[in-house]
Amino acid sequence: MFRTALRNVLAHKARLLMTVLAVMLGVAFVSGTLVFTNTLSDALQNQSAKGFDHVDVAVTPRWKEAEGDRVGELRELTPDLVEDSARVPGAAQAIGTVQGFTALAGKDGELIGDGFRSQGGNYWGDEDPRYPLTAGRAPKGEGEILIDSETAKRAGYEVGDTVRMSVDGPVLRPVVTGIFTTDDGNVAAGGSLTLFDTATAQELFGKAGTFDEIAVKAKAGVSDAALEAQLKKALPADVVETTTGTRLAEEQAEAIASSMSGMKQGLLVFAGIALFVGTFIIANTFTMLVAQRTKELALMRAVGASRRQVTRSVLIEAFVVGAVAAVAGLLAGIGIGAGLRSLMGTLDAPVPDGPLVVSPGTIGAAFAVGILVTMLAAWLPGRRAAKIPPVAAMSSVHAKATTKSLVLRNTLGALLSGAGVAVVLAATTMNGTDGQAPMGFGAVLLIIGVFVLTPLLSRPLIAAAAPVLRVFGVSGKLARQNSVRNPRRTAATASALMIGLTLITGMTVMAGSLQKSIDKMAASAIEADYVVSMANGNALSPDVEKKLKRAGGVTATSPMRNADARIDGQTEFLTGVDGATIEQLTEFPVEDGAFEVGGARVAVDADTATSYGWKAGSVFTVAYGDGARQKLTVAGVYQPNEMMRGIMIDTATLAPHEPDPADMMVMVKTSGGASDAVKDTLEKALGTNPAIQVQDKKDLSNEIAQMFTLMLNMVYGLLAMAVIVAVLGVINTLAMSVFERSQEIGMLRAIGLDRSGIKRMVRLESLVISLFGGVLGIGLGVFFGWAAGELLGTTMATYELVLPWGRMALFLALAAVVGVLAALWPARRAARMNMLQAIKSE
């Protein structure tokens, strides 16, 4: 039986090629994901470990918990603590470090890197061991800086050049006095690192006279643990905490691995989808192979082969196919992993240098996935093959499914589909996160149920295409009959395409609806013409609002300023706004009282008011960050949204309690409304700062749209793998169907159907099957998109279902194109058959 199984594999190489490709693509996706994420994680961990080469022990400020009327705050690391750290017997050197956001513009005026990777810090003294200089000297004073060598290379800067940069809004124009090398991960990922002398860095980052961290280097022969023990004795435990460089590297490695796990899981989900789709193709292929070998298998039973041996022979074939596909998929996956690493570099997200990591786990996963998926998919056809009675050797026609089996299948499918719909509908009535798991479970049940019911659904849906197929005469009629001749085969072929289009359609419906909802939210809440903010979301200097007020055409401005406070023993965030102008710049539905902000009167969002039992006229006591207390009166309760909420208080009331105020954004109203000219005026008023965004409502909407478009394009790209596998499935099914019907095709040719008619028949059959899968996929996708939207609507009041009719028509057209392309080779093969040889074939 083993020799027989191997002979069958070698004898049917062409038939099994598509199955190998289907399994190979899924394995390649899985192994490629593991290679890429392991390579990226290893490179980032090695890069981060280098960053701790000059830190044997890190001293950081301890967090003082909120208590009573005092808000939580970080203790301060003073120069005295740096000196105390340096005097510890085991310490060779102690460096006080300061860091923060620094936007550096290129010669084209654009921000170098993105906002989150544009960092700044301090250069310690005349020679900082952390940052070896390759040119120039250390910076001295606020007019001098150092830049990293990678940034200098990308931007074309040299020592002596004047650059434009910003920390919190105002534009600075320092001179580059030196260029240094660094192992900083942000620089390796395409960002920039700008260094100032220590006093300047402290001043710019709002940390005058204090440090973010103290990096202590041990003397030769002193271990990290010994140095840490000495530092703990010498430094006040209630002010600082210590961590060894080794432990910092380990924690960083764990954080990187954790961040990679999300990406890895997401990519593996799409790989699983491709494999799930491939399973249908494998099962379909082996079902047809078994059907074609009915006579052979029955004869084997007649000469003494047991059922177990027959099943085993089919599984051996599956094992060989799976092993070949696993090897090919692993090799392709290694290529995919290398390609993704290169792609990251072209997308301005370069990966640090390092070897391509192909771990034993990746190899094991590739073989486990390839072989197990193939054998599991082939088990049911093998089991059916074992049940073929020897008497079937009298005919090569495989026994048709009994009425009892069809009734059982349809009943099971109806129960699964009904249960899936019920669970999904029940999940739509739940709140946000509570409904996610039930909805996912219901979606799986419904997809499985629809797949089980697909043979039943195929007849009426394909029959609906009969009027169109009649236009093509005999070829159209034969195509319709062939499509419904074997409902199970048609169902398995169409289901592969159905799953891919279900996910694509559902994601498109969700993205379009979210975009519409956010647009609606912005339009209803913001009356300002422009919103000004930092590119990376950091706080703005109050000077930005002052400059905007002086700009031509500006009629009203208001900052949005966050501040910690304590109310009834709980920490709350106050939102500082300009009480005189805020009503001109925002529009919130008021539930109680009036939207009035000024003096001791505040506006409170409905959620906060409910949690404290407040209403218009309620008086409460607030303790500010500096410990001062004040009674405030609730002037009105407004309905918040995801963009704006909280306790709104006048900045004039809040300012005396903020030693270092900073605005998260500034809203601007102009006399001429939003226009390119006005926007240009505002940008010039701010010194054409690369770190600051001046956005109108359309810009905000486009920014959000870009995020959704990027997300959708990534999903489309990942799901394209499932669609490619589905195309292979259609080709495979048609090719084997043509082989099965060789005698029939020969008879059609003999009685007058020409080659073009044969081609047309096969193409129309493929088109009908693909459109059937497309209709099911789009229908399920719309249902899932609606259901997920209903769940999201419980937390987003402005959510509104939007059906992308244009995109759905495009998806249906895609299904049609899949059908036409998939039929090219099988149709050509059918048309080229020799009619006499075909008639004589069995």
Side-chain angles (χ1 to χ4, degrees):
M1 295 301 295
F2 181 74
R3 288 197 300 271
T4 301
L6 291 180
R7 185 201 68 194
N8 285 326
V9 172
L10 296 175
H12 302 138
K13 293 187 289 291
R15 304 183 203 173
L16 294 172
L17 177 61
M18 296 301 176
T19 305
V20 171
L21 285 173
V23 181
M24 185 199 77
L25 286 171
V27 173
F29 208 157
V30 171
S31 54
T33 295
L34 295 175
V35 168
F36 171 64
T37 52
N38 288 342
T39 298
L40 183 59
S41 179
D42 183 70
L44 291 174
Q45 286 178 21
N46 290 338
Q47 187 75 38
S48 68
K50 291 179 182 178
F52 296 110
D53 287 347
H54 299 285
V55 183
D56 288 325
V57 178
V59 179
T60 53
R62 189 175 291 277
W63 179 259
K64 182 182 179 182
E65 298 293 337
E67 183 180 0
D69 288 342
R70 299 289 302 187
V71 298
E73 61 181 356
L74 273 178
R75 301 287 194 174
E76 293 184 340
L77 296 181
T78 62
D80 291 341
L81 290 173
V82 177
E83 293 177 7
D84 291 344
S85 300
R87 284 196 293 266
V88 167
Q93 184 183 36
I95 296 174
T97 66
V98 185
Q99 56 188 339
F101 170 68
T102 301
L104 183 67
K107 292 185 176 180
D108 58 357
E110 298 296 322
L111 180 67
I112 297 175
D114 61 42
F116 297 99
R117 293 196 180 97
S118 300
Q119 297 295 317
N122 67 309
Y123 189 84
W124 189 258
D126 294 325
E127 188 175 347
D128 192 327
R130 299 172 299 165
Y131 308 113
L133 290 174
T134 59
R137 59 170 176 79
K140 298 182 185 300
E142 61 182 20
E144 298 182 350
I145 62 167
L146 302 180
I147 59 174
D148 67 270
S149 57
E150 289 297 320
T151 299
K153 188 188 302 180
R154 286 199 304 270
Y157 284 134
E158 298 178 350
V159 173
D161 287 347
T162 299
V163 299
R164 296 175 65 253
M165 54 154 287
S166 173
V167 171
D168 60 357
V171 175
L172 306 175
R173 292 178 174 80
V175 174
V176 177
T177 63
I179 295 172
F180 63 92
T181 59
T182 177
D183 293 321
D184 187 278
N186 285 315
V187 173
S192 64
L193 180 60
T194 307
L195 300 180
F196 312 87
D197 69 77
T198 298
T200 301
Q202 290 173 325
E203 183 68 27
L204 288 174
F205 300 139
K207 298 163 186 174
T210 64
F211 300 94
D212 293 313
E213 184 180 293
I214 302 172
V216 186
K217 186 70 176 173
K219 290 180 178 177
V222 179
S223 68
D224 291 3
L227 178 60
E228 183 181 26
Q230 293 174 1
L231 287 167
K232 284 183 175 179
K233 291 179 181 178
L235 304 178
D238 62 331
V239 176
V240 304
E241 51 190 1
T242 58
T243 311
T244 64
T246 303
R247 190 156 69 247
L248 284 173
E250 291 172 352
E251 290 174 356
Q252 186 74 10
E254 290 174 4
I256 291 170
S258 177
S259 65
M260 287 293 101
S261 68
M263 179 190 295
K264 183 185 294 185
Q265 290 171 8
L267 291 172
L268 287 176
V269 165
F270 289 100
I273 292 167
L275 281 169
F276 186 54
V277 171
T279 303
F280 292 117
I281 299 169
I282 300 164
N284 213 15
T285 300
F286 276 94
T287 298
M288 288 186 286
L289 285 174
V290 167
Q292 292 170 12
R293 290 162 45 204
T294 300
K295 189 172 183 177
E296 175 189 332
L297 293 172
L299 284 171
M300 290 173 64
R301 290 290 314 282
V303 297
S306 66
R307 288 187 175 185
R308 183 173 296 177
Q309 286 178 310
V310 172
T311 303
R312 193 180 302 147
S313 72
V314 176
L315 290 178
I316 290 171
E317 290 181 49
F319 176 84
V320 174
V321 171
V324 171
V327 172
L330 176 61
L331 294 175
I334 294 172
I336 289 173
L340 286 174
R341 183 170 70 170
S342 299
L343 180 64
M344 291 278 285
T346 62
L347 296 176
D348 293 329
V351 178
D353 292 334
L356 202 64
V357 179
V358 184
S359 67
T362 300
I363 298 172
F367 278 93
V369 167
I371 293 172
L372 288 178
V373 167
T374 309
M375 293 185 71
L376 285 172
W379 175 77
L380 189 57
R383 187 169 173 271
R384 287 177 185 160
K387 292 183 178 180
I388 299 174
V391 73
M394 301 301 295
S395 171
S396 62
V397 179
H398 188 56
K400 294 182 179 180
T402 62
T403 304
K404 180 180 178 181
S405 68
L406 290 174
V407 170
L408 180 63
R409 176 173 180 143
N410 293 338
T411 302
L412 178 62
L415 289 174
L416 287 171
S417 299
V421 170
V423 173
V424 169
L425 292 177
T428 60
T429 64
M430 300 179 183
N431 290 327
T433 54
D434 294 339
Q436 290 178 6
M439 184 166 289
F441 177 66
V444 171
L445 284 179
L446 180 54
I447 288 176
I448 294 174
V450 170
F451 168 67
V452 175
L453 279 177
T454 306
L456 178 66
L457 297 173
S458 64
R459 290 186 178 275
L461 288 178
I462 291 176
V468 178
L469 293 175
R470 286 196 194 102
V471 176
F472 299 94
V474 174
S475 297
K477 183 178 181 180
L478 291 172
R480 183 182 64 80
Q481 291 175 346
N482 290 335
S483 300
V484 296
R485 177 186 296 182
N486 192 331
R488 287 185 174 181
R489 182 189 302 168
T490 298
T493 306
S495 295
L497 190 58
M498 176 193 78
I499 292 171
L501 286 180
T502 295
L503 295 168
I504 290 173
T505 305
M507 291 297 296
T508 304
V509 170
M510 279 287 295
S513 300
L514 279 170
Q515 178 63 54
K516 178 74 173 178
S517 305
I518 293 172
D519 288 350
K520 187 176 177 181
M521 184 191 306
S524 62
I526 300 176
E527 290 293 318
D529 294 320
Y530 291 97
V531 172
V532 179
S533 61
M534 292 292 283
N536 69 334
N538 273 16
L540 289 162
S541 165
D543 290 340
V544 171
E545 189 196 6
K546 294 176 183 177
K547 290 182 178 180
L548 289 169
K549 280 183 176 180
R550 294 194 296 267
V554 173
T555 58
T557 64
S558 174
M560 296 286 282
R561 181 178 301 172
N562 292 339
D564 292 351
R566 298 281 287 176
I567 300 173
D568 293 345
Q570 297 183 31
T571 299
E572 292 287 349
F573 292 97
L574 304 179
T575 302
V577 297
D578 188 328
T581 61
I582 189 64
E583 286 190 85
Q584 303 174 46
L585 301 165
T586 58
E587 181 64 41
F588 290 101
V590 178
E591 296 185 356
D592 186 22
F595 193 88
E596 180 185 341
V597 178
R601 295 176 67 76
V602 297
V604 182
D605 70 275
D607 296 335
T608 303
T610 300
S611 66
Y612 284 102
W614 295 339
K615 58 183 180 180
S618 297
V619 178
F620 63 94
T621 301
V622 62
Y624 297 107
D626 62 354
R629 294 163 60 88
Q630 183 180 6
K631 288 187 179 296
L632 300 177
T633 301
V634 179
V637 177
Y638 67 91
Q639 185 63 47
N641 58 41
E642 283 70 20
M643 297 181 70
M644 295 183 184
R645 60 179 59 242
I647 302 172
M648 292 196 184
I649 184 171
D650 196 346
T651 50
T653 304
L654 186 61
H657 309 288
E658 287 189 296
D660 188 24
D663 302 330
M664 296 311 297
M665 66 174 72
V666 178
M667 292 180 287
V668 182
K669 189 83 171 176
T670 61
S671 56
S675 68
D676 291 341
V678 173
K679 183 176 181 179
D680 188 55
T681 299
L682 296 180
E683 289 177 342
K684 286 181 178 178
L686 297 173
T688 316
N689 194 321
I692 296 181
Q693 300 180 115
V694 179
Q695 297 175 299
D696 59 19
K697 292 181 185 180
K698 186 178 179 181
D699 293 330
L700 289 171
S701 176
N702 289 340
E703 184 177 45
I704 296 168
Q706 285 176 357
M707 291 190 292
F708 284 119
T709 301
L710 178 62
M711 177 188 70
L712 266 184
N713 289 339
M714 289 177 61
V715 171
Y716 289 160
L718 293 169
L719 289 177
M721 184 70 73
V723 175
I724 291 171
V725 174
V727 172
L728 293 175
V730 177
I731 296 173
N732 206 9
T733 300
L734 288 173
M736 304 191 87
S737 177
V738 166
F739 178 83
E740 280 184 351
R741 304 202 310 264
S742 296
Q743 193 174 60
E744 175 188 320
I745 292 170
M747 289 297 296
L748 290 170
R749 289 289 315 283
I751 62 176
L753 190 62
D754 59 12
R755 289 185 174 182
S756 61
I758 294 292
K759 286 183 180 179
R760 193 179 305 116
M761 176 187 73
V762 176
R763 288 170 183 165
L764 289 173
E765 180 182 348
S766 175
L767 183 63
V768 167
I769 292 173
S770 297
L771 286 175
F772 169 53
V775 168
L776 285 181
I778 292 171
L780 283 174
V782 169
F783 176 71
F784 290 140
W786 166 82
E790 289 293 304
L791 189 62
L792 189 62
T794 60
T795 57
M796 183 179 285
T798 57
Y799 186 85
E800 178 183 342
L801 179 67
V802 176
L803 293 180
W805 296 106
R807 288 284 181 97
M808 290 192 292
L810 183 63
F811 296 155
L812 197 60
L814 174 65
V817 171
V818 165
V820 172
L821 294 177
L824 291 177
W825 178 65
R828 185 168 177 269
R829 182 183 176 193
R832 295 181 65 182
M833 280 185 183
N834 183 292
M835 70 178 72
L836 294 179
Q837 290 180 355
I839 291 171
K840 289 190 297 181
S841 66
E842 295 186 4

